[in-house]
Every structure is written in structure tokens, then in C-alpha cells.
């Protein structure tokens, strides 16, 4: 009988923001989706956030609890309104998870940090409009390049057919 021990690894956090950019208003809701997994099971998952210019790190629990599952699906929303942030403030948000390893002590991992700047409603609208204009210009550029490539392909196909007919 051969026994071997496997070292416990810290939890793996794979999260992404869904439908939100780095500029938000003071009343935004930040949707975070993804998963947290661990070989011993996930004991706790929560948001940690920092407000600038403050240096203190604060914690907000998830609505759904991991319940010691090996893979925990994250579909959480972080409400910004209760923080009563002023325009120009910065908010740094991340997901933190702790595993259920009770042999060598629980391991904790912090996911990707997302930084947001609080802007006015009008400023957010202008940022979105500018982004839309840039995307539209990029789309028109790609469309023009595709049309030119199509003309080139048709020209070369016509020449190829002419060469085949000469044979």
C-alpha cells in the first residue's frame, strides 16, 4: 500500500465584469460573473474593496454562500450606491476566496482587481457616445477593407478563369 500526500493549492478565482466599463456613476451596480474552485472546497467568497483616497480595505459578503463546494459559480452584483461616493472618487474591487483546508490552515486568494472611477451621468453618456463613434469608425474601416479584398478576389478569379480558357 502506497500513500502519497498532495499539497493543497489556494482557490482559483476566474471572474470577469459583465457589461460595465471603468467609469461608473455613484449609483451603479457592478455585475461580476465567473467561478471559484478549490480541491478542498470553497469555504468563503466575498468582495473586498478599497476607496481612494482612503487606504482601509473593506469587505462585503456575497448574497450566495459557497457551502464548501469544489466549484462555486459567481453571479454577484456589487451595489455602489450605499458607499455614497463623490464624483472623481476611485473604487477598487476584487473577489476573495478562502478554501476549506482544515489540516494545514485555510488558503486565501484574491482575484483580479477592477478599478472604477466615479463620474457624473453626463460624463458617462459622453464617454459612451465617444466609444460608440470610435467603434463605428472602426467598423466602417473594416467594412472598407473587406470590400477592397472582395474586389481583389473577384479580379484574380476573373484573371484565373481567363488563363484557364486560354489553355
Amino acid at each position: 500500500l502506497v500513500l502519497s500526500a498532495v499539497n493543497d493549492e489556494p482557490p482559483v478565482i476566474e471572474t470577469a465584469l459583465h457589461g460595465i466599463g471603468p467609469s461608473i456613476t455613484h449609483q451603479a451596480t457592478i455585475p461580476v460573473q465567473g467561478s471559484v474552485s478549490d480541491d478542498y472546497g470553497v469555504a468563503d467568497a466575498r468582495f473586498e474593496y478599497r476607496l481612494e483616497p482612503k487606504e482601509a480595505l473593506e469587505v462585503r459578503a456575497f448574497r450566495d454562500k459557497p457551502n464548501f463546494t469544489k466549484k462555486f459559480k459567481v453571479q454577484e452584483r456589487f451595489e455602489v450606491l450605499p458607499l455614497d461616493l463623490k464624483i472623481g472618487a476611485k473604487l477598487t474591487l476584487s473577489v476573495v476566496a478562502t478554501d476549506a483546508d482544515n489540516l494545514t490552515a485555510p488558503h486565501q486568494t484574491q482575484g483580479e482587481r477592477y478599478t472604477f472611477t466615479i463620474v457624473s451621468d453626463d460624463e458617462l453618456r459622453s464617454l459612451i457616445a465617444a466609444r460608440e463613434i470610435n467603434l463605428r469608425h472602426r467598423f466602417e474601416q473594416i467594412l472598407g477593407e473587406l470590400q477592397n479584398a472582395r474586389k481583389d478576389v473577384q479580379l484574380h478569379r476573373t484573371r484565373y478563369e481567363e488563363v484557364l480558357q486560354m489553355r
Side-chain angles (χ1 to χ4, degrees):
L1 178 64
V2 177
L3 295 176
S4 62
V6 177
N7 287 338
D8 179 40
E9 297 293 325
V12 176
I13 300 174
E14 297 173 352
T15 58
L17 300 177
H18 182 69
I20 196 162
S23 298
I24 59 174
T25 64
H26 73 283
Q27 51 192 339
T29 299
I30 302 170
V32 178
Q33 296 179 345
S35 65
V36 178
S37 58
D38 186 73
D39 47 354
Y40 278 85
V42 181
D44 183 45
R46 63 193 177 279
F47 286 119
E48 282 189 356
Y49 63 96
R50 184 181 310 266
L51 305 173
E52 292 179 19
K54 291 182 185 178
E55 293 298 320
L57 190 67
E58 300 183 41
V59 176
R60 185 180 295 174
F62 279 4
R63 287 175 290 133
D64 297 330
K65 297 294 179 190
N67 204 18
F68 301 99
T69 58
K70 290 193 178 213
K71 188 163 188 172
F72 173 66
K73 188 173 182 179
V74 177
Q75 284 194 314
E76 293 288 328
R77 294 171 128 19
F78 185 87
E79 300 288 335
V80 177
L81 187 60
L83 301 177
D84 194 31
L85 299 175
K86 304 294 181 217
I87 292 175
K90 296 225 183 270
L91 167 69
T92 303
L93 179 70
S94 63
V95 173
V96 176
T98 305
D99 68 8
D101 177 11
N102 57 6
L103 297 175
T104 60
H107 298 91
Q108 185 170 303
T109 301
Q110 182 177 36
E112 184 177 349
R113 289 186 181 126
Y114 305 106
T115 302
F116 302 94
T117 303
I118 308 302
V119 298
S120 68
D121 292 346
D122 291 336
E123 189 176 349
L124 183 61
R125 277 194 279 280
S126 69
L127 288 169
I128 291 171
R131 184 173 172 209
E132 181 181 351
I133 289 169
N134 288 335
L135 286 173
R136 186 176 301 232
H137 285 306
R138 181 70 181 131
F139 174 74
E140 289 170 357
Q141 178 186 4
I142 290 170
L143 184 61
E145 291 172 1
L146 184 61
Q147 288 170 339
N148 289 338
R150 182 181 207 185
K151 288 177 187 175
D152 285 346
V153 168
Q154 288 175 339
L155 176 68
H156 290 295
R157 188 167 88 193
T158 304
R159 288 183 182 170
Y160 176 72
E161 289 173 353
E162 290 173 359
V163 169
L164 286 179
Q165 289 177 356
M166 292 175 141
R167 289 185 179 177

